[in-house]
C-alpha cells in the first residue's frame, strides 16, 4: 500500500489528486488491474469529476453546502461538523480506477478529487493496487 | 478490460445494464472475484437499485432532479450542466459486484443501472474483472 | 465469499459492522489486498463514518430523511418506500477497505455502517477478499 498527503486550505474544497495516483500506478508496473484510492478521514471524501473547467469543482462544493446546511438546530453531534460527515458519506470514502495497458482508464474529462469538508488540514490518501 | 456502449434517449434516465455485465462475467470464466464497472463520463454515473418495478428508477431520476436543481443563479460552470456533474458524483463513477461460483452475487431485487444526467448521448461503460 | 446477517430495529438506522468485517479479514489470513463489502438489498446501503460519537450516525439518518422526504405526491412506486431506494443509492451498495499487513487500513475515527432505510428487517452483508 502507498500513501500520500494532501494539504487543504479551506473548510470545503475539492483538490485534484490524479497526478499523484497516476505516479503510483506507473511505479507499480501493474499492466492490468484496479487501483483503490481510500480516504481514511470521516469529514472528507473522494470523487471523480471534470478535470477541465475548475468552476465545476466550485459548483460541486457550493451544491454540497446547499444540500447539507452547515447549521441545523436538530444536529446532535457537538463538534459542529455534522454537515462535513454527511457530505463525506454522500461522496464516499473511496474511488476505484481500472488499470489497463499499464495506464489509468479515466475518461477524457475525468479527474480524481480529494474532497475536504472540514479543513484546512493535512490529510492522507491511501492507494492499493491489485493486479 | 471489456467495454460496451449505452445509447441514452433522454436528458436524465436510468438504463438497466445488468445483462451486459453478466455476459462479460460469464465469458471471463472467473469463479471467485470482483467485477468493477466504471463510467468514464463526468455527467453520468452508475448505481444499483430495484430491477422489478420500473417506477423506482423513474422516482430516483425525479428525486435527483429535485435535490439538485437544473438552474441556480450561483452556478459558475458555463456549459449549463452543473446539476449533471453533481448528480454523477452523488451516485458515483463505479459499482462493484462480487463474483462467486462464477455468478454475480446480486440480491434478488438488484439490478445495475447506467445513470444519464446530460443526454441523449452514446456512452461507454468499462468492466474489469479481478479473480 | 463470506456473509453475515444484520438485524435492524428501526425504519432508518445506521448499525456498526466493523467488528464482523475485521473478523472475516483476519480469518482470511490475507496480508495485502482489498475487502469488498456488499449490501444485496435495494432499500439499504453501506457507508463509512465516525465510530466514536454515536450522535454522528443519528445526525446522518436525520439528514438523509430531510434530504429525501418520506412522502411526495410525485412518487410513482406503490410500495411507499421510494425514499429508502434513493437513500440507498446516495450512500451506495458497497464499501471497499484496504488490507495491509493483515489488517484493515481504516482511519482512527472510521467505522463501517450498515444503513437501514426500510426496517426493521433481517439483512445480509456479503464480504469478498482479494489478495
Amino acid at each position: 500500500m502507498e500513501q500520500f498527503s494532501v494539504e487543504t486550505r479551506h473548510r470545503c474544497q475539492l483538490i485534484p489528486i490524479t497526478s499523484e495516483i497516476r505516479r503510483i500506478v506507473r511505479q507499480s508496473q501493474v499492466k492490468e488491474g484496479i487501483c483503490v484510492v481510500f480516504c481514511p478521514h470521516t469529514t472528507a471524501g473522494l470523487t471523480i469529476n471534470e478535470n477541465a473547467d475548475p468552476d465545476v469543482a466550485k459548483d460541486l462544493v457550493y451544491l454540497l453546502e446547499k444540500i447539507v446546511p452547515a447549521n441545523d438546530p436538530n444536529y446532535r453531534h457537538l463538534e459542529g461538523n455534522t454537515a462535513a460527515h454527511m457530505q463525506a458519506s454522500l461522496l464516499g470514502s473511496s474511488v476505484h480506477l481500472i488499470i489497463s495497458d499499464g495506464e489509468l482508464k479515466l475518461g477524457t474529462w475525468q479527474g480524481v478529487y480529494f474532497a475536504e469538508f472540514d479543513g484546512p488540514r493535512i490529510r492522507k490518501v491511501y492507494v492499493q493496487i491489485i493486479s
Side-chain angles (χ1 to χ4, degrees), chain A residues 3 5 9 23 28 39 42 44 50 69 71 80-82 89 95-96 105 119 131:
Chain A
Q3 60 178 281
S5 294
R9 294 178 182 280
R23 179 179 53 74
S28 76
C39 168
T42 57
E50 164 144 348
N71 297 302
N81 59 0
T82 282
S89 272
V95 294
H96 310 79
K105 290 292 292 178
S131 63

Side-chain angles (χ1 to χ4, degrees), chain A residues 15-76:
Chain A
I15 295 180
I17 57 170
T18 314
S19 60
E20 286 86 343
I21 298 166
R22 190 166 273 137
R23 179 179 53 74
I24 291 171
V25 168
R26 286 182 180 160
Q27 285 177 348
S28 76
Q29 299 188 309
V30 166
K31 295 302 174 198
E32 294 288 322
I34 60 168
C35 171
V36 177
V37 186
F38 186 82
C39 168
H41 308 284
T42 57
T43 54
L46 296 165
T47 196
I48 295 172
N49 219 294
E50 164 144 348
N51 62 10
D53 177 5
D55 279 344
V56 172
K58 289 175 187 155
D59 282 352
L60 296 182
V61 167
Y62 162 74
L63 275 167
L64 286 162
E65 294 193 282
K66 186 179 169 187
I67 294 167
V68 186
N71 297 302
D72 184 312
N74 293 311
Y75 291 162
R76 300 173 180 217

Side-chain angles (χ1 to χ4, degrees), chain A residues 7 12 16 33 37 49 69 84 87 104-106 116 124:
Chain A
E7 187 176 351
C12 293
V37 186
N49 219 294
Q87 288 151 345
L104 287 183
K105 290 292 292 178
L106 281 167
E116 173 65 84
K124 283 183 287 186

